[in-house]
Every structure is written in C-alpha cells, then in structure tokens.
Amino acid sequence: MNQAIPLKFYDIVDEYSTETEQAVSDAERDALAHYFQLLITRLMNNEEISEQAQADMATEAGINAQRIDEIANFLNQWGNE
C-alpha cells in the first residue's frame, strides 16, 4: 500500500471491487486508490471532469482505461445513496 494515499481511498476501492464486473486484483489496488484520489479531489474542488481529464488521470494512476466508465457509474450511484 502506498502511504501517500489516504486509507479512505482504499475503502472506496474495496466497495468498488464488490460491484465491478471485472475483478480487482491486488496489483491494481494502489492504482485504483490513486485514481479515486485524483478524481474525488477534483470533484470536491468543483472542477469539471472531461473525458480527456478522466483518461489523463487513468494514465497517471496506471489503471486500465476500460475501467473509466464503470468507475464513473459507480461514483454516480455512490453519490446518490
């Protein structure tokens, strides 16, 4: 686990992993936590997040770009609960 990423983002990865179609491997956990950190930080700062911004964050975090839409849907559902 990367100590620079707060545990709350790993908690989000755990929740996401229970709802995703593609299983989350142990090797992906740090990258996904980093992606959630980048994405949620932007959301909390009321920054607009374009498709290009999502792709750039996915590249920076090292996640598979195929997860972007599923993560967006997950966060929409999570935010509505």
Side-chain angles (χ1 to χ4, degrees):
M1 178 174 60
N2 182 340
Q3 294 300 323
I5 301 171
L7 286 175
K8 65 183 173 185
F9 296 108
Y10 286 92
D11 292 341
I12 296 168
V13 171
D14 291 341
E15 181 69 26
Y16 166 72
S17 70
T18 66
E19 298 184 23
T20 183
E21 291 181 18
Q22 182 181 352
V24 173
S25 70
D26 287 341
E28 290 179 289
R29 289 182 49 73
D30 287 338
L32 284 168
H34 186 196
Y35 182 74
F36 279 115
Q37 181 181 28
L38 293 170
L39 192 60
I40 291 171
T41 298
R42 284 190 181 206
L43 289 170
M44 290 175 62
N45 290 332
N46 293 319
E47 296 176 40
E48 187 173 328
I49 302 173
S50 66
E51 288 183 20
Q52 184 59 52
Q54 291 175 59
D56 291 345
M57 287 184 286
T59 299
E60 179 181 338
I63 69 162
N64 185 328
Q66 293 176 335
R67 289 203 182 268
I68 294 172
D69 288 340
E70 187 176 58
I71 288 171
N73 290 334
F74 166 76
L75 287 175
N76 281 334
Q77 286 181 324
W78 189 57
N80 290 328
E81 291 179 359

